[in-house]
Each structure stands twice: as C-alpha cells, then as structure tokens.
Amino acid sequence: MRSFCLRSRFRTETRWSIARQLFVLQALVVAALVAIGTAGTVLIVLDDAEQAAIDDVMDIAETVARSPMVVDAVRGPSPSAVLQPYAESVRVATGTDFIVIMATDRTRYTHRTPSLIGQPFIGTIDKALAGGTVTEKSVGTLGESVRTVVPVKSNDGQVIALVSVGITTDAINQKLLGRTPAVAIPTALALLLAAAGSWLLSRRLRRQTHGLGPAEMTRMYEYHDAVLHSVREGLVVADRGGHITLINDEGRRLLGDDLPSPVRDLIASRAAVADEPVLAGDRVLVANQRVIRSEGQTIGTVLTLRDHTELRALTGELDSVRGLTDALRAQAHEAANRLHTVLTLVELGRSREAVELATAELAAAQQLTDQVVGALDEPALAALLLGKSAQAGERGVELVVDEASRMAGAPLPSRDLLTVVGNLVDNALEAVAGTAPPRKVTVLVVAGDGAVLVRVTDTGPGLPEGAFRKGWSTKAEGRGIGLALVRQVADRHGGTIEVDGAAVTVRLPVPS
C-alpha cells in the first residue's frame, strides 16, 4: 500500500516520462537535421540553377554577338527594324527573359518592351566595351535578373555594339518550384521514418521503464539503495545467466569476496527454495530464492540469506539440553522405582538383597562416567558423551565409548570437536532408532600421531553416497545440515572423512 502511494505521488509530480522526453528530443533533433539538410540542398540547387542560367545566357549572348546578320544590321541604316524581330525570335526560342542589342553608348536597338527601344541600357558595360564579358545579378526594367553583356566585334576586332541576355530571378525561382516534389517527398519520407523509429524506441523504453519519469526513477533509486544497504538480510540478485548483478552490504559480509560453492550452485540451479540451509565458510545460512519473471520470461533470480550460525548453535545446545532433561526425567523416574524397590526390600527384612540391588545400580551408573572421564581429559567432550548416553538410553539405544579412546587436553578447538562428535552421534542415534534390537552406537576418540581420530559405528543400515552434502538427513523430513557441518570442519582442518557402511571415520590433523 505504501509502495502504491509513493508511486502515485511520483506520478503526480512527473509531467513527462523518460520515454516521452526522449521521443520529443529525438523528434526535434531529427526535424532540425532534416531542416538543415533541406536548406542546404535548396541552397545548392539554387546556386546550381543560377550558375546554369549564367552559362545559358552567356552562350546565347555570344552566339547572337557572332551572328553576321547582327554585325551587318548594326552597321546598317536602321538597326532596330532588323534586330528587333530577330532578338525576339531568339528570346522566345531559348526561353530567356530579354535579349538587348545596344550601341556602344547604351542606346537599345532591341527590347522585350518596344517602348524602351532607344532608351539607354541599365547595367554595367565597361568590361564589355573593353572586349571582355560582364556577368552580374542586377535590377533592371524587368526586375532582378541574372545577365551577361558581351561585345559585338567587326572583322578587324573593333567593338561596334553590345549584346545583353538575361533571365529574371523570378523565372529561376519558378523553375526551382517545379523541382520542389523531388526535394519535399524524400524530406517527408525521412521525417516519417524518423518519427516512426523514435515512436517505436520510446514505446520500448516506456515498457522497460514502466513509464517512470526521471525524478521518480531517481527517488526510487535513492530509496531502494538505502533499503538495500540497511536491510539486515543478505540480498543477491543474478541475471538469467547466473551472473551476479547486485549484492548488498549484508550479503558481502555473509559471503565474502568469493561466493561459496553451495551458494553458486543454488543460484545456477534457478530453483525456487524456501528456508534452505546453506554453508558459507563458518556460517550456517538460511536461503530463500525466487525466480524473477517479466512478461512470461525468466530474467533472473533473487536470493535472500539470513545468518543462523549462532541460532543453529543455540538450537543444537537446546536440543541437547532438552534431550538430557528428558533423559534425566526418565532416569529420575526409573531411579525412584528402583529406590522404592530397595525400600520395600528393607521393609520386608531382606536387607541383603536390597544392598545388592543398590550396589549393582550404583556400579552400572558409575561405570560409564568413570570410563568416559578417565579416557577423555576434555571436559566438554566428556560431558557431551555422557549426555548423549542418557539420550541413547531414553531411546532404547546402547551408547558405548570404545575402551581404546584416549585424549589428553584439547588438541583442537572444543567447538570443532563437539561439532564432529555430536553430529556423528546424533546421526547414528537417528539411524538405529527405527531398526530392530539390538541397537548399539560405538564411539572411538583417539588423539595421537599428530591427529585426532573420531570413529562412530552403529548397527543401522549405513550411510548412502552423498550423505555429507548439505541437506541430507536421516530424519523423516529429509532436511539436515549436521553431516555437512562435519564436512565443513574436516575441510577447514585439512582432514579426511571415510565412510564404510555404518562406520564413519573422521581424521583431523593437529597443528604443530
């Protein structure tokens, strides 16, 4: 509900999503690029059109100026009467706007507007009078035009007249307008394609960002980052290929720099698990993994880890204490029965039988204690075996400490010894619990030759292959971590584990 409220508040504050902003930005950039390209194309085409017009008028002017008929008419008595029809016919035929043949003093012999014949020519002629060619864009009687002026020379090379041919700018523009579809159609297609591509890209981005805006995504990132770093559970996110994409601070603390192989295997399996025990170095972790799916496709996994190392140790100790308490309660009940029997025998006057019964019970109770304490000079381990003996008796199992057991002091950390011996004995007791009598578990602990040897043998069916992997158990629910902890201790000390049917031998080297 809170997530929904935050999302709604973000949406009201965000006007445009990232996808929309990207679409608008792309559209503006594409439109600007197309406009610049179109403008450049138009300028190039305009320049080409003007240059083509200059080339045309120059060719026409030179052709007219070299015509023998023009040379003869200029020298004749009435140049306009001969040249006007000729000039107009050439103008119409070539599509130019004017052809003016004039005297060297600018007096027009021809013009598109007959009333202007005899009037002075407007434009530059100095270079043409000197025998050259004038090319310019200027404003005349017909408006702005591109024109050229060339000399008419006699046979001896003397300039006797001038010829000016021009095309108005309006005519050039009209010709360009006729070419507009050739430029407009590709431009429109380019805009449409760019707009379609931008729309498809923005749609994809909207789907991937769920329509979130920049401010919303920034705040969500800040909140999520704060949550990831403050949560007290380890969090590991992997992509569909099993590569780690995110791990929070607690995850790094629990797993270290390199992922333990059980965690890597769990991530690689991409299986959904709940409260799965996992060993990571000296830690016992409880893992929950969920598969992430989007639009029906698996995109990765999310693994959460909780540190249950201390809890497991406390739970094991609590189970031992509870078992010992139950055993002591049963023993107290049994002792009460036996004491009542002794008292009854005394009341019946059979004191000798009462003493014999009490002495036998005391010897049996003291025998195991003397044997364990005498063989194992390690108080915690001795107490563990005495407690396990009481538990075994409660379950109808005989726990025997091999007479060859010997240990002086604590050559290895007590915690590791208790982990190995306690879990092996517990597993053996579970293995023989459902078997037919006699049910017996034998424990041998020997320290010597630079190592501690622990061997536990039972009358059960024996251990299957892979029993020391994480999760195997003799319990009905099939979930356990005890034997995996034994394997962990052995690996940490560089020891070995041998399984021969119902006998398990663990050898732990003692550091020199």
Side-chain angles (χ1 to χ4, degrees):
M1 181 65 181
R2 182 170 179 79
S3 176
F4 173 78
C5 293
L6 286 174
R7 187 179 179 88
S8 300
R9 183 169 63 84
F10 284 148
R11 286 194 177 278
T12 57
E13 295 179 357
T14 304
R15 293 184 177 180
W16 280 11
S17 65
I18 291 181
R20 180 177 295 181
Q21 293 185 27
L22 179 62
F23 172 74
V24 173
L25 179 61
Q26 286 180 324
L28 292 176
V29 170
V30 170
L33 291 176
V34 171
I36 293 172
T38 303
T41 301
V42 170
L43 292 176
I44 292 173
V45 171
L46 180 60
D47 184 68
D48 290 343
E50 290 183 354
Q51 187 60 46
I54 291 173
D55 293 340
D56 289 342
V57 297
M58 185 175 292
D59 291 340
I60 296 171
E62 290 180 351
T63 301
V64 172
R66 293 176 183 178
S67 172
M69 188 269 292
V70 173
V71 176
D72 293 341
V74 168
R75 289 179 173 179
S78 181
S80 295
V82 177
L83 295 176
Q84 175 68 11
Y86 170 74
E88 284 300 299
S89 64
V90 174
R91 182 186 68 79
V92 173
T94 57
T96 55
D97 289 304
F98 65 86
I99 297 178
V100 176
I101 302 173
M102 70 191 86
T104 55
D105 62 355
R106 294 180 179 267
T107 302
R108 297 187 182 101
Y109 295 138
T110 65
H111 198 278
R112 181 175 178 175
T113 305
S115 61
L116 296 177
I117 296 174
Q119 299 291 328
F121 175 77
I122 301 173
T124 303
I125 63 172
D126 295 340
K127 192 174 181 180
L129 290 174
T133 301
V134 176
T135 300
E136 65 178 354
K137 180 190 290 187
S138 64
V139 179
T141 57
L142 298 178
E144 187 180 57
S145 63
V146 175
R147 64 180 67 182
T148 185
V149 181
V150 300
V152 178
K153 297 180 181 180
S154 61
N155 293 334
D156 57 1
Q158 183 180 359
V159 177
I160 59 175
L162 301 173
V163 176
S164 178
V165 180
I167 299 176
T168 62
T169 303
D170 290 340
I172 296 174
N173 294 337
Q174 289 295 328
K175 188 179 292 185
L176 288 178
L177 289 176
R179 300 179 184 177
T180 300
V183 177
I185 292 176
T187 300
L189 290 177
L191 285 174
L192 289 175
L193 290 176
S198 299
W199 179 77
L200 291 175
L201 180 61
S202 64
R203 183 180 179 184
R204 177 180 177 84
L205 184 61
R206 178 185 295 274
R207 185 169 61 251
Q208 292 178 340
T209 59
H210 302 286
L212 301 179
E216 184 176 358
M217 293 189 68
T218 300
R219 291 174 184 172
M220 289 183 66
Y221 168 79
E222 293 171 350
Y223 292 153
H224 292 177
D225 186 66
V227 170
L228 289 176
H229 288 292
S230 62
V231 70
R232 299 309 300 165
E233 285 190 359
L235 177 65
V236 181
V237 180
D239 59 17
R240 69 182 65 186
H243 302 99
I244 304 302
T245 59
L246 185 148
I247 180 169
N248 68 345
D249 295 343
E250 182 67 8
R252 291 187 182 279
R253 186 186 72 83
L254 295 177
L255 302 177
D257 295 332
D258 297 326
L259 291 183
S261 55
V263 177
R264 287 198 304 268
D265 295 340
L266 181 59
I267 294 174
S269 69
R270 292 196 293 183
V273 298
D275 297 333
E276 182 76 15
V278 175
L279 295 180
D282 295 334
R283 301 181 185 277
V284 179
L285 308 178
V286 174
N288 288 273
Q289 181 167 269
R290 293 292 181 269
V291 179
I292 308 173
R293 290 185 173 85
S294 178
E295 298 180 357
Q297 295 184 351
T298 299
I299 61 175
T301 55
V302 174
L303 175 66
T304 58
L305 302 167
R306 298 192 304 275
D307 190 358
H308 276 212
T309 304
E310 299 298 331
L311 181 60
R312 285 279 179 175
L314 292 176
T315 302
E317 294 177 5
L318 180 61
D319 289 341
S320 298
V321 172
R322 183 182 294 114
L324 182 59
T325 301
D326 293 340
L328 291 176
R329 184 182 298 110
Q331 292 291 334
H333 180 72
E334 186 68 18
N337 290 335
R338 290 169 182 171
L339 180 60
H340 181 71
T341 302
V342 171
L343 292 176
T344 302
L345 288 174
V346 171
E347 291 176 354
L348 293 175
R350 308 182 67 170
S351 301
R352 185 175 61 82
E353 289 86 345
V355 172
E356 292 177 352
L357 179 60
T359 302
E361 289 296 329
L362 180 62
Q366 190 66 30
Q367 181 180 1
L368 180 62
T369 301
D370 293 341
Q371 179 185 3
V372 172
V373 174
L376 303 176
D377 188 16
E378 212 293 321
L381 184 59
L384 173 69
L385 289 176
L386 290 175
K388 295 298 181 184
S389 175
Q391 293 181 30
E394 176 67 16
R395 298 183 182 186
V397 180
E398 181 184 4
L399 178 63
V400 177
V401 178
D402 197 301
E403 295 180 354
S405 297
R406 290 291 182 272
M407 177 179 290
L412 291 174
S414 298
R415 183 173 183 176
D416 291 343
L417 288 174
L418 296 179
T419 296
V420 173
V421 176
N423 282 292
L424 290 180
V425 171
D426 286 341
N427 187 76
L429 293 177
E430 291 289 343
V432 300
T435 62
R439 293 185 287 271
K440 183 178 181 181
V441 175
T442 304
V443 180
L444 171 65
V445 181
V446 178
D449 298 330
V452 173
L453 180 71
V454 178
R455 179 181 293 118
V456 177
T457 307
D458 61 69
T459 57
L463 294 176
E465 182 180 357
F468 284 85
R469 72 179 186 273
K470 179 264 301 178
W472 189 90
S473 176
T474 54
K475 296 181 176 65
E477 60 270 20
R479 294 172 58 88
I481 201 170
L483 295 183
L485 291 174
V486 174
R487 164 67 69 184
Q488 186 183 62
V489 172
D491 292 342
R492 186 165 60 250
H493 289 277
T496 60
I497 299 177
E498 296 180 4
V499 179
D500 183 12
V504 180
T505 303
V506 179
R507 180 181 176 84
L508 302 175
V510 176
S512 57

